[in-house]
Amino acid sequence: MDKRSNTVIGETLYTERLASGLTICVVKRPGMKKVFGTFATHYGSIDNTFVVPGSSGITDVPDGIAHFLEHKMFEKEDGGDVFNDFAALGASSNAYTDYTSTTFLFSTTSRVQENLEILLDFVQRPYFTPENVEKEKGIIEQEIRMYLDMPGDRLHSNLMEALYKNHPVRLDIAGSVDSIRTITPEMLYHCYQTFYHPSNMVVFVTGDVEPEAIFTQVRHNQASKGFANQAEIDRIFPEEPLEVKKARVEQRMPVAAPLFMMGFKDHAVGKEGPALLHHEIVMGLMWQMLLGKSSVTYAELYQAGLINERFQARYSGGMTYGMSGIGGETLDPDLLEKELDQRLPEVTLRSEDLERLKKKEMGEIIGLFQSPEDLGYVFNSMYFRQIDLLSYLDVLGSVTIKDVEQARDTHLTEKVRAISLILPLEHP
Amino acid sequence: MKHPIQTETGFVGNFQNGVGWYVYPTQRFKTISLQAFWVNDLTSSTAAKGALLPHILKRGTMRWPDSMAIEKQLETLYGATFRADVGKIADKQLISVSLDVIHGQYLPGTPDTLEASLAFLEEILNHPLTPAKNQFDQKFVAQEKELLRRQIRGLINDKNQYAMHRLIETMADGRAFGLRKLGQAEDLESIGPTDLYQYYQNVRDQSPFVLLVVGDIKPETVEAYVTHGWARTRHALGSIESYTPRHENFEVVEKKPVRQGKVNFGYATGHTLVSPEYPALMMYVGVLGGFPHSKLFVNVREKASLAYYAYARLDAALSLMVIGAGIEFRDYHDTTRIVAEQLEAMADGEISDQELHYTLEAFGNDILSEEDSPSQLIGRQMEKVLLGGGLTGDQLIKALSEVTVADIQRMATGIHLDTTFFLTTDGSGRDIDG
């Protein structure tokens, strides 16, 4: 068992890595009623092309299969449903898939050990048949259609399609109604065997628990399953050119006012670990300094009636892609675009603002440990990118105003920029 | 100082003469969470003003004259989260201001962040920017009116919320609980900086006021602040008008360019939160559609594959039940039939031990989990203050555990379909693409 602390954050991470490659992490939260556990795999919607460890050929699978697989893991051989196993113990369970990971979770206020056992077992016991795969298509089709009616979702999806020519991050996480129709049990087993190997996964538990008890249980559970370590999975991503696919995309939908989002494709990709964390913190601070709620530009755009308080400017990314998205609802997308183009390169970046924003980040990372769901999400996503959560404040402290200036100079260029618009059906 | 009243919810404090304070002292959290409420009757003539006011309050104060200055203050407070907005419980409109801040003991130099938070709230609530006597900043009012007008019109952006609002509005048939918490766009037109300020003064000086705080703090600090600063003669909390149905099996179908149909059913239940039968009603709704093991999820989603989601929910204040699902347009009648079949099964007492057990366990988990969330603790306590009772915590879990299948079956006799609202395609939705 490895025990590491950060005195400023005031928290300790207990971790252990098993022979199969599975990592387990525990964060103690004394006094909390709820215990929250996740079992996550480093496998998301962008992992569409890969080489299965031990083989030589390249495998291509349909869009949306990681999300489809997530749904199907809840089905049991006896026809039952894993939700019910958790329900019998008074726990709630769920799962989500994003671009780079799939996470299964439970939340409980009693019988932690039994719940953890169910989590470990159902995620490692796939059961797909032609019938149960067919049945799921109707459900997922409705999920996809639900997203198609969400303007904010379309705004982002359309932007990703415009920014990227080849990288699969350009596709919706759930795939399309057509792509999921081609999914078969064989494909699901193939993906499962490649990406749900323990060496590609992590177990995270937080709550009023004893770390050693969790480790002992997981060790015992895994020992009976006989997983050998697996070689690294070769994930294949197409070459992504500097230029965007389309500089501008528009869609009409029933919305009250236009939605605007400007995106910048990041080319400083391929990082992991501390370098990636540093990059992400710099990008995050840059947007807060340029367009955060305490910035002059935000105040002026707000006063001019061009943006509202839900306006956002943020960076998000992984090891193989990254993008900034800036936008929200506006009555005049053209004017907002013009204003942003003019102002962003000219904002004076001040050290005093940077230092104040670092304080804000510090408060947020301390507060993060109070929300089990958010902590689980952040821990898992950092783990898969080989980032140490406890190093956050040190890396934050190392960011200088020069880093931020440099990020702006390299990131905000015309070539990597695209605009996505959702317009009302009847344009005034 | 008199001894504060300990309530069974873990909060200490009281509410009298229109003024209340409640503190949940605990070392479980690293944050201190504060939320102050003004409570008003929701009326068509004041709803828009009530919705506009919090937006003005967060634009500037005498000490921090613009939102940039306010935001810098929050960043200095280690990224404190500040909200000012409007909420709704049945026919009451709640204007609220909240702040979540890291407790000083976890920060370098151990600053007194409770003191700073109370000072911040005081500044926001009592010292809004008034460039001229007795009026708000004219620009702020004009800008926020425009933004609120857009927000009101933006309801259609969220098809779920839109369909749910239209259902409740239809069921209310002109009664206050059918009004939106944001009011109506046309009521904004006539609001100016002077009359909004007058409205603010009335609210500040007369509306019932409650401050709730969760964190590792001494209750006396909050009590002293509230009794010193807010104890003046205020209106009493008006009781919530209970809902009685005005329709029977009324159907509204609305066509819009959407890709997925939204069907919502609204039911009268015949019981309120303070009724001794309320735990049985909760069990009824839970077995029917509260969870993934419930009848609706299993039959509409898992067996028939008609929907991604299908649920039943209870509005605790009004005691009306809603059922919702997102479906293929052509499946409207099938969905309606399956939902009706599930209600019949409930009435026939077709409830297995497993369904009963799972539902009880799930409610227990939800109820206990609330204790880990400061905002949920505050919300639940506020609901209790407003509704004048209802069981919470372990008492509620105990009451739920005593509910029998016969009790649940008896609930079915009070359940009547008031209105069905179906949002469906106008025939164009499938053709619009990016």
Side-chain angles (χ1 to χ4, degrees):
Chain A
M1 185 173 83
D2 178 36
K3 177 183 170 185
R4 287 177 319 104
S5 306
N6 179 291
T7 46
V8 183
I9 300 178
E11 299 285 350
T12 304
L13 294 190
Y14 300 83
T15 51
E16 181 162 321
R17 193 172 166 93
L18 304 182
S20 64
L22 180 66
T23 297
I24 314 152
C25 178
V26 178
V27 175
K28 280 168 82 161
R29 303 294 306 144
M32 291 299 219
K33 299 269 178 179
K34 186 159 85 181
V35 173
F36 179 74
T38 68
F39 195 0
T41 163
H42 187 198
Y43 170 50
S45 64
I46 65 171
D47 299 304
N48 273 349
T49 306
F50 51 90
V51 179
V52 180
S55 78
S56 55
I58 291 173
T59 303
D60 272 305
V61 288
D63 305 334
I65 196 164
H67 170 258
F68 200 103
L69 183 51
E70 171 231 295
H71 270 240
K72 285 323 296 171
M73 290 311 300
F74 284 88
E75 195 115 15
K76 291 178 11 176
E77 207 156 329
D78 61 9
D81 193 314
V82 175
F83 283 122
N84 283 345
D85 295 348
F86 284 110
L89 297 170
S92 65
S93 59
N94 213 334
Y96 54 83
T97 306
D98 60 22
Y99 289 127
T100 56
S101 63
T102 309
T103 307
F104 299 88
L105 61 92
F106 71 82
S107 173
T108 189
T109 49
S110 65
R111 289 182 280 186
V112 177
Q113 197 181 351
E114 288 158 88
N115 281 300
L116 180 58
E117 205 67 12
I118 293 175
L119 178 71
L120 296 170
D121 287 346
F122 94 83
V123 176
Q124 295 186 325
R125 199 166 50 206
Y127 179 67
F128 316 129
T129 65
E131 294 73 36
N132 75 27
V133 167
E134 218 42 51
K135 191 202 75 179
E136 204 66 26
K137 291 179 182 172
I139 296 170
I140 294 180
E141 184 174 332
Q142 287 312 312
E143 186 179 0
I144 291 171
R145 291 200 190 284
M146 177 179 83
Y147 298 135
L148 291 179
D149 272 338
M150 294 180 170
D153 219 77
R154 295 321 307 152
L155 180 72
H156 174 78
S157 275
N158 295 349
L159 177 65
M160 295 307 272
E161 267 186 60
L163 284 175
Y164 287 89
K165 284 185 175 163
N166 304 322
H167 194 288
V169 75
R170 63 190 301 274
L171 303 164
D172 283 350
I173 289 163
S176 68
V177 169
D178 291 333
S179 74
I180 62 153
R181 283 198 180 126
T182 65
I183 292 173
T184 64
E186 292 69 32
M187 294 176 189
L188 290 169
Y189 277 116
H190 209 74
C191 293
Y192 178 84
Q193 275 143 14
T194 305
F195 292 104
Y196 281 60
H197 188 275
S199 58
N200 194 44
M201 301 186 74
V202 63
V203 173
F204 176 83
V205 179
T206 182
D208 196 349
V209 294
E210 274 311 315
E212 191 46 52
I214 301 287
F215 294 140
T216 307
Q217 186 188 343
V218 179
R219 248 182 256 135
H220 188 79
N221 174 287
Q222 295 295 292
S224 63
K225 292 175 181 167
F227 286 105
N229 208 343
Q230 176 183 268
E232 195 126 331
I233 305 152
D234 193 4
R235 302 160 201 256
I236 296 164
F237 294 101
E239 190 71 22
E240 180 64 35
L242 191 67
E243 297 78 27
V244 298
K245 181 165 188 250
K246 273 190 200 166
R248 202 176 174 86
V249 276
E250 294 182 11
Q251 182 182 347
R252 289 191 183 270
M253 282 178 86
V255 290
L259 299 179
F260 167 95
M261 194 177 252
M262 181 185 274
F264 292 91
K265 179 161 64 173
D266 189 7
H267 278 277
V269 295
K271 295 185 176 71
E272 58 179 45
L276 180 55
L277 179 60
H278 187 270
H279 184 63
E280 288 186 358
I281 292 178
V282 169
M283 295 301 252
L285 288 168
M286 176 191 82
W287 284 119
Q288 290 187 60
M289 291 174 79
L290 292 177
L291 280 169
K293 291 208 165 151
S294 61
S295 69
V296 178
T297 312
Y298 177 90
E300 289 179 359
L301 294 175
Y302 188 99
Q303 278 156 28
L306 278 173
I307 61 173
N308 63 25
E309 63 178 357
R310 287 181 299 283
F311 179 82
Q312 284 185 336
R314 57 161 66 148
Y315 176 82
S316 64
M319 295 190 290
T320 62
Y321 68 94
M323 57 86 64
S324 294
I326 307 149
E329 199 180 273
T330 183
L331 285 188
D332 195 339
D334 295 338
L335 184 57
L336 179 56
E337 179 185 343
K338 209 176 111 205
E339 291 285 336
L340 288 170
D341 280 346
Q342 272 177 10
R343 289 161 179 269
L344 293 179
E346 282 167 15
V347 174
T348 314
L349 298 165
R350 288 176 220 276
S351 297
E352 60 182 88
D353 292 333
L354 178 64
E355 292 315 310
R356 206 184 52 249
L357 286 163
K358 282 184 181 178
K359 266 190 160 183
K360 175 180 179 226
E361 289 294 304
M362 181 175 169
E364 284 177 0
I365 201 85
I366 293 172
L368 173 71
F369 282 79
Q370 179 162 312
S371 163
E373 292 83 3
D374 293 348
L375 179 63
Y377 180 79
V378 171
F379 172 82
N380 289 332
S381 71
M382 285 193 177
Y383 173 80
F384 291 138
R385 290 174 290 159
Q386 283 150 48
I387 294 171
D388 174 14
L389 176 57
L390 291 181
S391 72
Y392 193 91
L393 290 184
D394 294 337
V395 177
L396 177 70
S398 76
V399 172
T400 65
I401 197 79
K402 277 224 156 44
D403 293 333
V404 181
E405 282 165 357
Q406 202 186 350
R408 175 173 63 179
D409 292 346
T410 51
H411 189 49
L412 303 190
T413 64
E414 181 71 28
K415 243 188 209 170
V416 302
R417 198 196 78 166
I419 284 172
S420 167
L421 291 175
I422 300 293
L423 299 170
L425 295 172
E426 302 93 21
H427 209 39
Chain B
M1 201 174 287
K2 68 183 184 307
H3 191 70
I5 297 157
Q6 177 86 42
T7 68
E8 68 276 21
T9 54
F11 278 89
V12 294
N14 61 48
F15 185 86
Q16 53 193 10
N17 303 324
V19 185
W21 65 273
Y22 292 92
V23 173
Y24 186 100
T26 175
Q27 297 186 347
R28 285 208 302 279
F29 306 121
K30 288 188 165 183
T31 48
I32 303 172
S33 303
L34 307 95
Q35 192 164 10
F37 293 90
W38 282 309
V39 183
N40 295 307
D41 286 334
L42 189 56
T43 68
S44 58
S45 60
T46 56
K49 273 185 188 160
L52 186 57
L53 181 58
H55 288 286
I56 300 299
L57 296 182
K58 69 180 162 197
R59 283 301 300 272
T61 71
M62 299 311 274
R63 190 167 157 205
W64 303 302
D66 53 38
S67 18
M68 210 169 27
I70 292 176
E71 199 60 34
K72 283 183 178 173
Q73 173 63 16
L74 292 166
E75 287 168 359
T76 307
L77 276 172
Y78 292 88
T81 308
F82 165 51
R83 290 193 187 85
D85 47 29
V86 69
K88 170 187 162 182
I89 292 185
D91 56 358
K92 299 285 176 277
Q93 188 185 36
L94 281 65
I95 297 171
S96 90
V97 170
S98 72
L99 194 69
D100 293 275
V101 63
I102 304 291
H103 196 295
Q105 61 187 304
Y106 302 106
L107 292 169
T110 59
D112 186 344
T113 50
L114 174 62
E115 194 64 35
S117 297
L118 289 173
F120 182 87
L121 284 187
E122 170 66 16
E123 179 71 14
I124 295 288
L125 295 172
N126 266 325
H127 307 284
L129 184 70
T130 49
K133 196 174 160 53
N134 291 338
Q135 58 172 355
F136 287 122
D137 186 296
Q138 194 157 1
K139 283 201 309 291
F140 287 179
V141 173
Q143 286 161 3
E144 294 302 330
K145 272 170 66 174
E146 175 54 28
L147 288 169
L148 181 57
R149 181 182 299 118
R150 285 190 233 161
Q151 197 189 343
I152 291 170
R153 298 208 170 123
L155 177 65
I156 186 63
N157 295 7
D158 184 330
K159 311 297 175 286
N160 262 328
Q161 259 186 41
Y162 176 80
M164 189 51 74
H165 167 69
R166 292 282 294 116
L167 173 73
I168 302 295
E169 183 182 56
T170 307
M171 290 169 79
D173 189 27
R175 286 172 288 182
F177 73 83
L179 295 169
R180 291 181 63 191
K181 66 178 180 183
L182 299 179
Q184 302 184 90
E186 49 270 35
D187 298 331
L188 282 170
E189 304 302 332
S190 61
I191 302 175
T194 312
D195 58 317
L196 187 63
Y197 189 80
Q198 197 172 8
Y199 170 80
Y200 157 72
Q201 281 182 311
N202 290 340
V203 169
R204 183 192 63 194
D205 298 337
Q206 295 170 21
S207 295
F209 174 87
V210 191
L211 175 62
L212 302 102
V213 186
V214 172
D216 187 8
I217 62 153
K218 287 196 177 67
E220 292 77 12
T221 317
V222 175
E223 181 184 26
Y225 170 70
V226 172
T227 29
H228 178 75
W230 292 92
R232 48 204 106 157
T233 312
R234 297 180 170 278
H235 300 307
L237 270 181
S239 63
I240 283 174
E241 199 191 327
S242 64
Y243 150 74
T244 46
R246 287 192 182 164
H247 309 104
E248 207 183 313
N249 210 351
F250 182 52
E251 184 192 52
V252 181
V253 177
E254 199 171 291
K255 294 182 175 179
K256 295 249 182 227
V258 292
R259 309 254 206 139
Q260 184 182 59
K262 307 280 181 203
V263 59
N264 288 321
F265 307 88
Y267 302 82
T269 67
H271 296 283
T272 64
L273 183 75
V274 291
S275 146
E277 304 247 58
Y278 193 78
L281 180 61
M282 271 180 78
M283 287 297 286
Y284 175 96
V285 178
V287 169
L288 177 64
F291 307 97
H293 67 261
S294 304
K295 289 185 188 294
L296 290 175
F297 192 85
V298 168
N299 288 286
V300 179
R301 171 172 153 141
E302 296 297 317
K303 288 199 181 144
S305 291
L306 292 183
Y308 171 62
Y309 66 87
Y311 65 86
R313 258 185 230 142
L314 198 54
D315 180 316
L318 290 168
S319 270
L320 57 81
M321 177 177 78
V322 291
I323 289 177
I327 56 169
E328 200 58 35
F329 311 118
R330 61 170 182 270
D331 293 333
Y332 175 47
H333 293 291
D334 280 346
T335 308
T336 306
R337 177 180 51 77
I338 296 173
V339 167
E341 284 166 7
Q342 303 319 307
L343 283 154
E344 270 169 44
M346 296 295 296
D348 294 342
E350 287 171 24
I351 298 162
S352 67
D353 286 348
Q354 180 177 308
E355 286 173 305
L356 201 62
H357 171 68
Y358 287 7
T359 303
L360 179 61
E361 290 284 341
F363 274 130
N365 191 40
D366 284 354
I367 291 163
L368 291 176
S369 294
E370 277 183 8
E371 295 181 27
D372 286 356
S373 159
S375 66
Q376 285 185 31
L377 282 168
I378 287 174
R380 189 61 69 191
Q381 179 68 12
M382 191 59 202
E383 193 178 272
K384 207 174 161 82
V385 171
L386 271 180
L387 302 182
L391 299 173
T392 48
D394 291 333
Q395 289 184 341
L396 178 57
I397 294 174
K398 183 168 179 290
L400 291 169
S401 72
E402 287 163 2
V403 173
T404 63
V405 170
D407 294 334
I408 297 176
Q409 205 178 343
R410 206 168 56 247
M411 290 300 104
T413 57
I415 306 270
H416 296 288
L417 179 58
D418 177 317
T419 299
T420 304
F421 181 85
F422 182 42
L423 178 64
T424 186
T425 179
D426 62 357
S428 69
R430 287 285 153 82
D431 303 318
I432 305 165
D433 257 308

